[in-house]
Amino acid sequence: MAAIVAQSQFIFGVRTGVKNGLCFFDEQTVVFPSGNSCVCYNTVQRSQRLFSGSEKSQGLCALALSANRRYLAVSECGEKACITMLDLQHEQGRRRKVLTAGDLPVQQFVCMAFSPDSKYLIGQAGGPEWMLIFWLWEKHKVLATVKTTSSNNPVTQVSFNPYNNTQLCVSGSGVFKLFRYSEGALKQSSFAKVESFNFLCHTWMSEERVITGTDAGRLLVFESGDLRKEISVPSKAVQRQSDSPAVPRITAILSYSKGFACSLGPGTVCLFEKTQEDSYRKSREIQIPPCRNDLTPAECQEIDNMCISPAEETLAISTDRGQLYSVSLSSVDMNKEEQLHFEFLSQPFHSKSITGLSVCIRKPLVATSSLDQSVRIWNYETKVLELYKEFQEEAHSVALHPTGLFILVGFSDKLRLMNLVIDDIRTFKEFTVRSCQECAFSHGGHLFAAVSGNIIHIYSVTSFENILNLKGHNGKVRGIEWSLDDSRLVSCGMDGAVYEWNTQTGKRLSESVLKSCSYTGVAFSSDCKTILAVGTDLMLKEIQDCQVLREVPPDEVAHTALAVSRSGRVVFTGSSSGTIKAIKYPLPIQKEWIMYQAHCGPVTKMAITYDEQFLLTGSEDGCLLVWTIIDKEGRGLRSNTQIVHTEEILVTKSDLEEKTQNMLELKMRLEELQMEGEYQLRLRDMNYNEKLKELSDKFTQQIETLTTTQQVMKTEMEKRDRENQEKFTEVAMKHSKELKDLELSCNQKLIVEHEKYQDILQKYEKMQKEYERQLRSAEENKNQALEDLTQQCESKLQEKTQLLAQCQEDAQQQIQMFKEIIKQTEEDEEEMIRDIQIKYEKKLHTEKEINTKLKGENGIMNQKFYSLQRQIDDRCTDITKLKQERQRLLELIRSLESDIEDLKRQISGHERTGLDKDNTISGLKKKNQELEKLKFVLEFQLSELKKQTEPQQDNIKEKRERIRQVCEALVQTDKSNAQLQLTVSDLRLKLRTRDKELHKEMQKVKDMETHLQRLKSDLHNCVSFIQDPRKLKDSVKIIHTKYLQQTHEVSVVHTLLDDDIQKAFRNQRDHLEKTVASLKTRLASSAEEHEKVYVKMMKENVTLITEINELRKELYLMKTQIKDYKAQLTIVKKKKSHPNSEEGPQKEPKLQDVR
């Protein structure tokens, strides 16, 4: 049987209290936290990608999206806080890195931010330390740390300067500091006195300007870390909040290309635009529409986070009530007079704890009730909110009728039966059941059960009569469930009792009471023979016939809810920490389950759909999570019964009549609009015909002028061709004459050179004889000189070897200096390149926006003038022919000019690179000169030191011998320490094995106790058969076979387990020894590779110097070529101006007109 797996598919809800909890991944995708995971939601396709948190996380604290919108940093709190880096471009969002604070005791990171190049990350740790940590996150390296504030003044936001990677801003209560990263440390660069201000948010407007928002509703402008001015808040926003006693707080602020947007009090966002006077004025105000008309401004939602899409087309916000809103900024620009309102980004979610959850059979619907005074109907297949309604009081429980057309909702004073109409939830009947915490329809839909305190009321759905009242619980009832045939009902309560009731007679069929445990959830098994229950004792129990059959071992966290599959293969449980467990059924004896990270609060309700395809979980965090139930091979579960979903909807007669009337009115309105549209089209056609005539007249005039210019150009071309032919013949004649003269002169020179050659041969023979005599004499002198030189060289060699050792040490120091200089230059060049990239990306962004606007206008104009172009095409063909002939004439001039411009660009580029490299070389030369001076001084000092150290060398030799003796003693002590460590490790392993054996013995004792209890109960049952000897004999035989065989099997199993544990321990020890040996070999190989890399670096430096020299040569050649080209150009211009000096001034203006 394949294991059953739950896979998170969709989540309804937003987690509040997460810093930067909303950001755009692209134009259509939004990232936000929900439950204990991050959600990538596509607003067009309505699809989600879920990235769950780590196993030991206690919840999300903050998010940060990189500037390139690829990486997402997720801060998770726990015993040791960590930051998980997710790659959003990967389909499953694979985890790249997990960053920690190292040795610092950090429990949470309050806020984070990426650098503009997405290379660095800063994280602000929480109290009491309040350390700011600066990471090079790709290499998992902490570059710097600094304490930003004290515990009395918490930090609310940190950010990078978008124009500078090394500058940071930190703001909070009485805190506004600018830091700069330099020389491996974060140094404070501003010291503004802001102790009286409580900064809630800030944003960078330029390289030096920062705008901050306070809890007193003030917008303050800082430049270079100093407070410069305050932006006046518009009076309308203040007047709107003046009725409420609280001052409107600025909780979020965001900069964009036109200015900035900020939240000004609950439910309002103001847009500010930059003016020419370098100040800001309010341009628009956008509000969140109230959920109910009776809400006052103080009760409206406060904005937590704000973000803008990459193309700056949509503005999205998240509120403290877990809602997401958006507005298109293009509509803001268009409708400047109308009052604008935010719209829901996806759909409205629950803002408080989910108290009830119910599923129906005939429709793919889920009903949820919440403490936010609302009831919502969700479609778990289409992932859409079908209906929702808000009430004046909290809804404690909810139950859907199996048909999906009716709903039960429990309130503090009444229980209401409601109809699910097409666009509303309307009350149909009210029952006097107070504080109904649990309610449930029977599977047939003809009955329903409702809980009031410790009493369970059963009503008829058809007659609405109270059929039964089930009394027996001493505490509040926390869970009820009907059997499949609706003949029985199970209930559990805070008094530790689990009762099974007969729904026809009202009698109690079975009971199980455990006063030390207060139960929170109960359910029937798939065959309805056993009962499963969870409670505060951390155990999952299976109960049958008033006895506990099985118990799943306890975990660190208590179970709060459970759901059993109808196929009987799996049981799902929810915990108080928000995790969900999938446990095989029948229940295992050991801890065997699959755990999933789901919610950030206790799971309150769980349900499995009737087709067993989906698991639905609700929690105190207000999130509804939809899971798909599959096996490990990825296939869905097959249910025995085929369920067909219907699409019927309840509609009242009055609603139908209203809709038909609206349809008729809309049809009439449509006809009127069509008539108006046709009339306007005719008027536009008239206007376009007039414009067409004007354009055709203009084009005819232009064609006539072009024909005249073409004729003039033809005559000029013919003249130039004749002149060129005459020049060519003259040049050819001159060239032939020069060739003949050269041949005569070369022949005469050859004869003279031959005579010289013969004279030189004779001289060479004489010189050779003399050279042989000199060689003999030189050899004799050489042998004598060699002996003298060898003696001298040996003495010099000894001196030079000493000098060489000193020079090598100096050379190594210089090489290290050069390496550091090269690294610094490379880092500076990388920073320059990044700055240039950012500038050009901004330019591209603005150009793309302009292009999109122009494309839209072009599309409209193309549709309008499509008919006109067909008429103009015939005339355009003639114009194109004329233009082609004109271009042929202009190509000669343009080709020469383009060549000159290209050469100028190449020269300027080469000059820049050459100057940069010359500057670096000159700097290095200066440093070399300084080093040579130092070398001379050091050599002089060394010579003096040698004279002083000669008498001290004897003492050094004696001390070296002592050191050698001490080292030998240290080696012996190290060996003894190593042996002692090995013995200690062996003893620790033995202790662990003994602890495990003790644990096993304790488990054996517990098992034996359970066996004894069962034996006692069986013996107690046997006592009842004392008068009947046959039954007594049979029962004793059953007990004998039952318990003696079990004990024998248990002993055999334990012996086998001990042998397996010892074998596994030996295998682990062998494996660890092998890994240690392999790591040593790797260390040696890495050292060799490091030396090879060092040699490569030296070779690359040599090649770079050779390339610089070659570039200088090329520069020199290019400069000479440019001079030649300039000389040729001046000659060509002179030739053009001289031959037609009279005709030139008459024809030049026409050429200019053509251009």
Side-chain angles (χ1 to χ4, degrees):
M1 186 184 287
I4 307 302
V5 179
Q7 188 175 1
S8 57
Q9 189 184 25
F10 206 88
I11 192 163
F12 299 99
V14 178
R15 183 173 180 181
T16 57
V18 178
K19 193 66 180 175
N20 295 329
L22 182 66
C23 42
F24 273 96
F25 173 56
D26 55 28
E27 283 294 322
Q28 300 173 353
T29 309
V30 180
V31 180
F32 59 89
S34 183
N36 201 16
S37 57
C38 291
V39 181
C40 273
Y41 176 68
N42 191 312
T43 56
V44 177
Q45 298 175 357
R46 291 182 178 271
S47 61
Q48 286 185 357
R49 284 193 298 157
L50 301 177
F51 310 125
S52 59
S54 58
E55 290 183 1
K56 294 182 180 179
S57 73
Q58 297 175 4
L60 308 180
C61 294
L63 300 180
L65 187 69
S66 62
N68 58 8
R69 299 183 190 275
R70 179 175 179 180
Y71 302 110
L72 180 71
V74 182
S75 167
E76 296 175 332
C77 35
E79 292 180 1
K80 193 171 184 181
C82 65
I83 296 170
T84 307
M85 309 299 290
L86 298 173
D87 189 353
L88 295 178
Q89 290 184 0
H90 196 266
E91 288 182 1
Q92 296 177 353
R94 65 188 178 92
R95 299 186 180 187
R96 289 290 299 272
K97 299 281 181 185
V98 178
L99 304 178
T100 58
D103 298 330
L104 296 172
V106 177
Q107 293 182 352
Q108 64 172 345
F109 288 100
V110 177
C111 46
M112 302 175 294
F114 275 97
S115 62
D117 59 354
S118 306
K119 193 175 178 181
Y120 304 106
L121 179 76
I122 52 170
Q124 177 63 61
E129 297 295 328
W130 293 103
M131 295 295 289
L132 182 68
I133 303 169
F134 188 83
W135 284 283
L136 179 65
W137 69 268
E138 287 183 344
K139 293 184 179 179
H140 203 283
K141 185 179 179 181
V142 177
L143 297 178
T145 57
V146 67
K147 187 170 183 178
T148 54
T149 182
S150 61
S151 58
N152 296 324
N153 298 319
V155 173
T156 55
Q157 187 179 352
V158 294
S159 67
F160 269 99
N161 186 340
Y163 307 97
N164 189 355
N165 277 349
T166 59
Q167 194 173 15
L168 321 172
C169 180
V170 178
S171 66
S173 177
V175 179
F176 183 83
K177 295 177 182 179
L178 294 178
F179 291 93
R180 191 176 291 277
Y181 177 70
S182 63
E183 296 177 357
L186 287 168
K187 298 176 182 177
Q188 188 174 346
S189 58
S190 69
F191 298 90
K193 294 182 179 180
V194 290
E195 289 79 9
S196 60
F197 298 110
N198 184 6
F199 297 107
L200 300 178
C201 54
H202 72 260
T203 185
W204 291 85
M205 298 302 295
S206 64
E207 195 171 355
E208 294 181 351
R209 181 177 292 178
V210 181
I211 295 178
T212 60
T214 67
D215 61 346
R218 299 175 70 183
L219 287 169
L220 304 176
V221 181
F222 288 83
E223 286 186 3
S224 302
D226 297 326
L227 181 61
R228 296 294 183 191
K229 59 181 178 180
E230 182 178 353
I231 298 170
S232 61
V233 177
S235 59
K236 288 182 182 177
V238 176
Q239 285 173 3
R240 196 170 283 132
Q241 304 295 333
S242 62
D243 299 333
S244 63
V247 179
R249 305 195 311 159
I250 297 170
T251 53
I253 191 166
L254 177 72
S255 63
Y256 65 106
S257 60
K258 293 182 180 178
F260 68 92
C262 70
S263 65
L264 196 63
T268 56
V269 172
C270 291
L271 301 180
F272 288 83
E273 289 184 356
K274 193 174 182 179
T275 60
Q276 293 179 354
E277 299 173 354
D278 201 14
S279 62
Y280 301 93
R281 63 174 182 83
K282 181 198 162 192
S283 59
R284 288 307 300 269
E285 187 176 307
I286 311 165
Q287 288 187 344
I288 298 171
C291 299
R292 297 199 298 268
N293 295 323
D294 59 344
L295 281 176
T296 58
E299 294 173 340
C300 290
Q301 304 177 59
E302 196 169 65
I303 295 159
D304 281 344
N305 300 296
M306 196 161 30
C307 67
I308 196 164
S309 63
E312 296 187 357
E313 289 186 358
T314 55
L315 178 71
I317 60 169
S318 67
T319 66
D320 59 346
R321 292 190 182 179
Q323 305 297 329
L324 299 177
Y325 296 94
S326 68
V327 68
S328 65
L329 293 177
S330 58
S331 64
V332 170
D333 295 332
M334 294 287 286
N335 304 320
K336 289 191 175 180
E337 295 179 356
E338 297 178 4
Q339 178 64 42
L340 279 172
H341 292 283
F342 282 100
E343 295 177 352
F344 283 106
L345 186 66
S346 58
Q347 45 212 352
F349 303 125
H350 284 298
S351 59
K352 291 183 181 179
S353 173
I354 292 173
T355 56
L357 188 147
S358 180
V359 184
C360 65
I361 301 171
R362 307 300 295 169
K363 290 185 180 183
L365 298 179
V366 189
T368 56
S369 61
S370 174
L371 295 177
D372 61 359
Q373 302 178 357
S374 70
V375 174
R376 298 170 195 262
I377 311 296
W378 314 85
N379 192 319
Y380 56 78
E381 284 186 351
T382 59
K383 280 70 178 181
V384 175
L385 178 67
E386 298 280 346
L387 288 171
Y388 81 98
K389 189 170 184 179
E390 295 187 352
F391 299 93
Q392 296 293 329
E393 53 188 339
E394 295 174 352
H396 298 293
S397 60
V398 70
L400 260 178
H401 194 266
T403 58
L405 299 174
F406 312 104
I407 191 170
L408 268 174
V409 184
F411 296 96
S412 58
D413 58 345
K414 291 177 184 177
L415 175 70
R416 296 177 187 175
L417 179 65
M418 301 183 178
N419 291 328
L420 297 179
V421 193
I422 188 168
D423 55 357
D424 195 9
I425 301 171
R426 296 181 184 175
T427 54
F428 177 63
K429 178 72 177 174
E430 292 182 350
F431 302 93
T432 56
V433 180
R434 294 185 177 179
S435 65
C436 181
Q437 298 293 329
E438 293 290 333
C439 60
F441 278 102
S442 62
H443 292 283
H446 61 292
L447 301 171
F448 70 84
V451 175
S452 176
N454 58 357
I455 302 168
I456 303 166
H457 305 280
I458 296 176
Y459 285 86
S460 172
V461 176
T462 54
S463 62
F464 307 122
E465 292 180 358
N466 187 1
I467 298 167
L468 290 171
N469 291 321
L470 307 178
K471 298 179 181 178
H473 284 281
N474 295 322
K476 289 184 178 179
V477 178
R478 292 293 299 274
I480 56 171
E481 187 174 349
W482 292 83
S483 63
L484 290 173
D485 58 356
D486 296 334
S487 64
R488 289 176 292 160
L489 187 136
V490 176
S491 64
C492 69
M494 299 288 287
D495 55 354
V498 176
Y499 295 142
E500 185 179 0
W501 309 86
N502 189 328
T503 56
Q504 293 177 356
T505 61
K507 291 182 180 179
R508 195 186 303 165
L509 298 175
S510 66
E511 61 182 17
S512 175
V513 181
L514 184 67
K515 292 183 179 179
S516 62
C517 171
S518 60
Y519 288 103
T520 55
V522 69
F524 275 109
S525 62
S526 58
D527 55 0
C528 294
K529 291 181 180 178
T530 60
I531 300 163
L532 297 163
V534 292
T536 55
D537 62 347
L538 314 180
M539 303 276 280
L540 171 62
K541 300 181 183 67
E542 187 174 9
I543 302 165
Q544 185 179 13
D545 297 331
C546 304
Q547 291 182 358
V548 177
L549 278 179
R550 294 184 191 87
E551 289 182 346
V552 175
D555 199 1
E556 295 177 357
V557 185
H559 300 285
T560 55
L562 82 159
V564 183
S565 68
R566 285 167 180 78
S567 61
R569 294 171 66 183
V570 69
V571 177
F572 292 102
T573 63
S575 67
S576 59
S577 65
T579 57
I580 287 167
K581 295 174 185 175
I583 306 168
K584 284 184 183 180
Y585 189 83
L587 297 177
I589 298 167
Q590 297 178 351
K591 295 181 180 180
E592 292 180 2
W593 55 67
I594 303 169
M595 189 182 288
Y596 305 99
Q597 293 292 326
H599 297 278
C600 60
V603 179
T604 54
K605 296 291 176 183
M606 297 178 74
I608 297 173
T609 57
Y610 284 87
D611 56 359
E612 295 191 358
Q613 298 298 314
F614 298 98
L615 169 70
L616 306 162
T617 60
S619 172
E620 285 185 7
D621 60 4
C623 295
L624 174 66
L625 191 52
V626 181
W627 306 73
T628 52
I629 303 171
I630 54 174
D631 55 14
K632 282 194 174 177
E633 294 176 359
R635 295 176 297 185
L637 297 181
R638 292 182 181 177
S639 59
N640 297 324
T641 58
Q642 290 185 353
I643 295 167
V644 180
H645 291 147
T646 59
E647 295 181 354
E648 287 83 6
I649 298 169
L650 292 177
V651 183
T652 60
K653 192 175 180 182
S654 59
D655 289 340
L656 265 175
E657 289 173 354
E658 283 179 5
K659 282 179 181 178
T660 51
Q661 285 179 358
N662 288 328
M663 287 282 284
L664 289 168
E665 288 175 0
L666 288 167
K667 281 180 182 177
M668 294 289 288
R669 180 65 180 159
L670 229 172
E671 289 174 358
E672 289 175 2
L673 287 167
Q674 283 178 352
M675 293 289 287
E676 288 178 1
E678 287 175 358
Y679 177 69
Q680 287 177 358
L681 277 168
R682 287 173 187 171
L683 288 172
R684 285 178 183 176
D685 288 333
M686 295 288 286
N687 292 323
Y688 287 140
N689 288 323
E690 289 176 358
K691 288 178 181 178
L692 247 175
K693 287 178 183 178
E694 292 175 358
L695 286 166
S696 61
D697 293 334
K698 286 180 183 177
F699 280 121
T700 50
Q701 289 175 1
Q702 288 177 1
I703 288 159
E704 288 173 358
T705 53
L706 287 165
T707 49
T708 52
T709 52
Q710 187 186 0
Q711 289 175 359
V712 172
M713 293 288 284
K714 278 182 181 179
T715 52
E716 286 180 357
M717 281 294 291
E718 288 173 357
K719 287 179 182 178
R720 286 180 183 176
D721 289 334
R722 289 171 189 170
E723 289 174 358
N724 286 325
Q725 285 176 0
E726 289 173 358
K727 288 176 182 177
F728 181 72
T729 51
E730 289 176 0
V731 169
M733 292 292 286
K734 287 178 182 177
H735 184 65
S736 60
K737 287 177 182 177
E738 287 174 356
L739 269 171
K740 288 176 183 178
D741 295 333
L742 281 167
E743 283 177 358
L744 291 167
S745 62
C746 286
N747 287 325
Q748 289 174 1
K749 286 178 181 177
L750 275 168
I751 292 160
V752 173
E753 290 292 328
H754 184 68
E755 290 174 355
K756 288 179 180 178
Y757 177 69
Q758 287 178 353
D759 294 332
I760 289 160
L761 277 172
Q762 291 175 1
K763 289 178 182 178
Y764 175 71
E765 289 174 356
K766 291 177 182 178
M767 290 288 284
Q768 196 170 5
K769 290 175 182 177
E770 291 177 358
Y771 179 67
E772 286 174 355
R773 289 174 187 173
Q774 289 175 1
L775 270 172
R776 289 169 189 170
S777 61
E779 281 177 0
E780 292 173 356
N781 294 323
K782 180 186 167 184
N783 291 321
Q784 291 177 356
L786 268 169
E787 291 175 356
D788 298 329
L789 283 166
T790 49
Q791 292 176 358
Q792 291 176 1
C793 288
E794 285 176 355
S795 61
K796 286 181 180 179
L797 260 170
Q798 292 176 356
E799 294 175 357
K800 293 286 181 182
T801 49
Q802 293 175 357
L803 288 168
L804 257 173
Q806 291 176 0
C807 290
Q808 282 176 355
E809 290 176 358
D810 296 332
Q812 285 178 358
Q813 290 176 358
Q814 287 177 0
I815 287 159
Q816 288 176 358
M817 289 287 287
F818 285 130
K819 280 182 182 177
E820 289 176 358
I821 291 158
I822 289 158
K823 284 179 184 177
Q824 286 176 0
T825 51
E826 284 175 354
E827 287 175 358
D828 294 333
E829 285 174 359
E830 284 177 358
E831 287 178 358
M832 289 286 286
I833 289 158
R834 286 169 195 155
D835 295 333
I836 292 159
Q837 280 180 350
I838 291 159
K839 286 178 183 177
Y840 281 112
E841 281 174 357
K842 286 180 180 177
K843 287 180 182 177
L844 271 169
H845 187 65
T846 52
E847 286 176 1
K848 281 180 182 176
E849 287 180 351
I850 293 159
N851 282 324
T852 51
K853 289 178 183 177
L854 290 169
K855 280 178 183 176
E857 292 174 1
N858 278 324
I860 295 160
M861 293 299 289
N862 284 325
Q863 289 175 1
K864 291 177 181 178
F865 290 104
Y866 216 85
S867 59
L868 297 174
Q869 284 180 354
R870 290 176 185 173
Q871 295 176 4
I872 295 160
D873 285 332
D874 297 326
R875 294 179 182 176
C876 283
T877 51
D878 298 327
I879 293 160
T880 51
K881 288 177 183 178
L882 294 167
K883 283 181 179 178
Q884 286 174 2
E885 289 176 358
R886 187 187 113 197
Q887 285 174 357
R888 286 174 190 171
L889 298 170
L890 293 168
E891 276 175 359
L892 290 167
I893 297 158
R894 286 178 182 171
S895 61
L896 289 166
E897 288 176 353
S898 63
D899 291 332
I900 292 156
E901 286 174 358
D902 291 331
L903 289 165
K904 283 179 180 177
R905 287 171 190 167
Q906 289 175 3
I907 290 153
S908 62
H910 285 300
E911 283 177 351
R912 285 172 189 169
T913 54
L915 287 167
D916 294 333
K917 289 175 181 178
D918 288 328
N919 289 326
T920 54
I921 290 157
S922 62
L924 290 168
K925 282 180 179 177
K926 286 176 183 176
K927 286 178 181 176
N928 277 324
Q929 287 174 1
E930 290 173 0
L931 288 166
E932 283 174 359
K933 289 176 183 176
L934 286 167
K935 185 182 175 183
F936 180 77
V937 173
L938 288 166
E939 283 176 356
F940 181 77
Q941 288 175 357
L942 275 167
S943 63
E944 290 180 349
L945 285 166
K946 280 179 182 177
K947 292 175 183 178
Q948 293 174 4
T949 53
E950 282 176 357
Q952 293 177 358
Q953 283 179 355
D954 296 328
N955 293 324
I956 289 160
K957 285 178 182 178
E958 291 176 359
K959 286 176 182 178
R960 279 179 182 172
E961 286 178 358
R962 288 179 186 175
I963 288 159
R964 186 173 57 76
Q965 292 172 0
V966 171
C967 287
E968 287 175 356
L970 278 168
V971 169
Q972 289 176 358
T973 52
D974 287 329
K975 287 178 181 178
S976 63
N977 283 324
Q979 288 175 356
L980 287 166
Q981 284 175 356
L982 287 167
T983 54
V984 167
S985 62
D986 291 331
L987 288 167
R988 281 176 182 170
L989 288 167
K990 286 176 183 178
L991 273 169
R992 286 175 187 170
T993 51
R994 283 179 184 175
D995 289 332
K996 287 177 182 177
E997 287 172 358
L998 275 168
H999 187 66
K1000 286 176 185 175
E1001 290 296 326
M1002 292 292 286
Q1003 284 184 345
K1004 284 179 185 177
V1005 169
K1006 286 180 182 177
D1007 293 333
M1008 290 301 290
E1009 285 176 356
T1010 52
H1011 280 298
L1012 280 167
Q1013 286 177 0
R1014 288 176 184 174
L1015 211 159
K1016 284 177 183 178
S1017 63
D1018 289 335
L1019 286 169
H1020 184 71
N1021 292 326
C1022 285
V1023 170
S1024 62
F1025 300 117
I1026 287 168
Q1027 294 178 357
D1028 193 354
R1030 286 181 182 176
K1031 287 183 181 179
L1032 198 144
K1033 186 180 179 181
D1034 293 333
S1035 63
V1036 168
K1037 281 180 182 179
I1038 290 160
I1039 290 162
H1040 182 268
T1041 53
K1042 186 176 179 181
Y1043 289 102
L1044 284 175
Q1045 286 178 0
Q1046 282 183 359
T1047 53
H1048 180 67
E1049 287 172 358
V1050 168
S1051 63
V1052 170
V1053 168
H1054 282 301
T1055 53
L1056 289 168
L1057 282 168
D1058 292 331
D1059 293 332
D1060 293 332
I1061 289 159
Q1062 286 177 0
K1063 285 178 184 177
F1065 175 73
R1066 288 168 190 165
N1067 291 326
Q1068 262 187 350
R1069 190 170 181 180
D1070 294 332
H1071 177 67
L1072 288 167
E1073 286 174 355
K1074 287 176 183 177
T1075 52
V1076 169
S1078 64
L1079 286 167
K1080 285 179 180 177
T1081 53
R1082 283 181 189 172
L1083 208 152
S1085 63
S1086 65
E1088 290 175 359
E1089 287 175 358
H1090 184 71
E1091 288 178 357
K1092 289 177 183 177
V1093 169
Y1094 177 75
V1095 173
K1096 281 183 183 178
M1097 288 289 285
M1098 291 296 290
K1099 288 178 181 178
E1100 285 173 359
N1101 284 327
V1102 173
T1103 53
L1104 284 167
I1105 291 160
T1106 53
E1107 284 177 3
I1108 289 160
N1109 292 324
E1110 287 175 0
L1111 285 166
R1112 282 178 181 170
K1113 290 176 184 177
E1114 287 177 3
L1115 244 173
Y1116 182 75
L1117 290 168
M1118 291 300 289
K1119 284 179 180 178
T1120 53
Q1121 285 179 3
I1122 289 154
K1123 286 178 183 177
D1124 295 335
Y1125 282 127
K1126 283 180 179 177
Q1128 288 176 4
L1129 267 169
T1130 51
I1131 291 159
V1132 170
K1133 285 179 181 177
K1134 285 177 183 177
K1135 284 179 181 178
K1136 284 180 182 177
S1137 60
H1138 284 298
N1140 296 318
S1141 60
E1142 294 178 358
E1143 294 176 2
Q1146 293 177 357
K1147 294 173 183 178
E1148 279 176 0
K1150 290 181 180 178
L1151 283 165
Q1152 289 173 359
D1153 293 332
V1154 172
R1155 287 180 187 176

